[in-house]
Amino acid sequence: MPDLQAHPPIIQGVVPPRDVLLRFISENPDRASKREISKAFGLKGDTRVELKTLLRDLEADGMVEKKRKSLVRPGALPPMTVLDITSRDKDGELIGRPAEWPDDGSVAPAVLIRQSASGASKTKAPVGGLGDRVLAKIFPAKERGGPAYTARIVKVLDRRQNAALGVLRLNPDGSGRIMPIERRGEELVVEAEDRGAAADGDLVSAEVIRSGRFGLPRARVASVIGSVASEKAISMIAIHAHGIPYIFPDAVLKEAEDAGPATVAKREDWRSLPLVTIDPADAKDHDDAVHAEPDPSPDNPDGVIVTVAIADVSWYVRPRSALDREALKRGNSVYFPDRVVPMLPERISNDLCSLKEGVDRPALAVRMRFSKEGRKAGHTFHRIMMRSAAKLSYQQAQAAIDGSPDDKTGPILEAILKPLWHAYGLLSRGRERRQPLELNMPERKILLKPDGTVDRVLVPDRLDAHRLIEEMMIQANVAAAETLEQKRQPLIYRVHDTPSLAKQETLREFLATLDISLVKGGNLRSNHFNGILSKAEGKPYETMVNEMVLRSQSQAVYAPENIGHFGLNLMKYAHFTSPIRRYADLIVHRALVGSLGLGEGGITPDEEKDLEDIAAEISAFERRAMVAERETVDRLIAHHLAGRVNEEFEGRVSGVTKAGLFVVLPAYGADGFVPISTLGRDYFIFDEARQALVGEKTGLGYRLGDTVRVKLAEAIPLAGALRFEMESEGRKMPVATRSFHKSGRRAQRQPGIRPPRGRR
């Protein structure tokens, strides 16, 4: 007999009680929009208004959150999730966990993988195995006492490889052990005849050749990546650890080599238009060029025409080709301090599609008209043949505008550069009116020595030349989304959701401790955050407020459904301007080509049907790249500082948890951990509202943003981990009046190290 108390019946036409509504949202994540809920409960007229009020109350209470157009329980997995298959349960069923999970101390939920029965359907679902990364459809579990979710595999993204990465440590007899780079990895035994040319201290890829119930597995060295003292090895650790494809298959390279230059046939000839590229000085590919001129139309007095031309990658990379399959497998290019793992082979990215100076190149161009107030008056897209008039660096273009032109910028200063800066001035008016989120979080750049080790860490100057290109690219992206929507063409948007109610409340409590208020309700806009940032500007807590605002934000992703971009304060936004290094942009190019009838290489019906899966995959690959890049920087800095154990450094508290403090060294960009057990003999309380650890007896503590002196106690370069000991005495803190956790502990020296957090 069914448990009627646990599952009360649904009464059609009546707004359900809160518990029934919450259970429906939990169990039906794909039917949790207001429209679907109304349909499920048969609500019409006044009852729909009543439902809307109830849902608003549940949001205000933090019981549900908005995700795109649907409602979810806080912490719930989205209907399509990338999972890592990590283990089996007692019945031998595969268990997966989300590939990405917030680094807030919570445990990622377990997901039971349901493998399809053979012959059960016409189209057999993909089969996964231990170690695989998969894209899966998520369903709330019907049975209690087990994993919270079940899943059906939609696509296997990365297959497990029978290889391990580690550092070889030799014994006197020539045998050795491979020490894993992963914290949960297992040591491997290597006999002398199985180590090949590997030397002591080499980073190697090893193949497991025998594994029994007892003793360590035996392995054979498959390849030597390099010495662990080399930066090359450090970036390869991240590449291997995250399964980033870095070797192009022969079929892909052949397809790239066989490609020939595009011709001007069926293209508009814009080779006489003096478009210029403005990029970093060390850029090897150039996928965007810009031009500006006064608008001659009497309908737009004192307005400008801005042209953005983007490399026509869709001409060379056709759907279902070897190049296309490999590009989707990679999702994006990955940038390390010493190397780039490109999405496309160099023949395409650095040659045929790079907008080289003085060379004919195919491009998709958008010509945009702006008024003197910076409002867009219209735009058109064109498939063109162009010829870049000049290749400039940001510093070179800025120096020319600032009065120091060189031999290249001098001749084009009046005719090309000054009109660009004039147009940027008009676009800036529109940006100021739009009020995108303006965080002040400077990024650091690592400079390497010739031997691959760290030379120094610096913060590059933020120039108007950077802002000019950024704003023109944003406007081109907006134009692409607007055009495709107008043509009713399916596409992949770049979306950024509003901060969740839970994150809003955490930020609100924190700001209240600084006597700064944050508006309540569902009408939060980016300009509200800008008001907060302006109040903190110049104050001792400016950096702290910027970091907390950043942490409150949702993560931008790719999606076929549009919810707008909160951070940029734009309702229609798609990535169009970097098809050499982002697959999302290539999809948008194909959509434009197809919907505007611009020739070959348009989007196909199969691609349109797969947009949801493609968006989920490339969003996961983007996060993979971000984590790999961050971990490589952490390892580089840890390697750089490994010889300075017991030295003192000036740092800043960059994170506060129940377990201790994260401290960043601004001079190096290094992020290390101070365990709470090493802070002193007091009992430390985690004050979540103030983001502080406070001594219960003394009232002395440490808060997010505090400047402190720390001693480097331990460094593990391969793990990118640093452990600090606090040298500064805490400052007096007021008694906590809001929520706090007594999860501190008294001083007790503990061995080992806790790794730094990932990118936040």
Side-chain angles (χ1 to χ4, degrees), residues 492-511:
I492 290 178
Y493 294 91
R494 181 64 167 178
V495 298
H496 183 216
D497 208 350
T498 55
S500 68
L501 290 172
K503 288 184 176 180
Q504 287 184 40
E505 190 57 34
T506 298
L507 178 63
R508 188 174 290 111
E509 288 189 359
F510 166 75
L511 293 173

Side-chain angles (χ1 to χ4, degrees), residues 391-408:
K391 181 188 79 169
L392 307 175
S393 69
Y394 289 116
Q395 293 77 13
Q396 193 176 16
Q398 188 67 55
I401 290 296
D402 292 342
S404 301
D406 58 20
D407 292 342
K408 179 177 283 189

Side-chain angles (χ1 to χ4, degrees), residues 434 470-482 485 491-496 556-559 561-566 568-577 582 585 588:
R434 192 175 82 240
E470 179 183 274
E471 191 59 29
M472 290 183 177
M473 296 305 112
I474 288 173
Q475 293 300 330
N477 289 337
V478 171
E482 290 177 345
E485 276 201 4
L491 71 147
I492 290 178
Y493 294 91
R494 181 64 167 178
V495 298
H496 183 216
V557 295
Y558 295 107
E561 300 88 22
N562 185 25
I563 60 170
H565 197 293
F566 178 81
L568 292 175
N569 199 12
L570 292 167
M571 283 308 301
K572 299 175 183 179
Y573 192 68
H575 273 168
F576 159 73
T577 54
R582 294 188 305 225
D585 304 55
V588 169

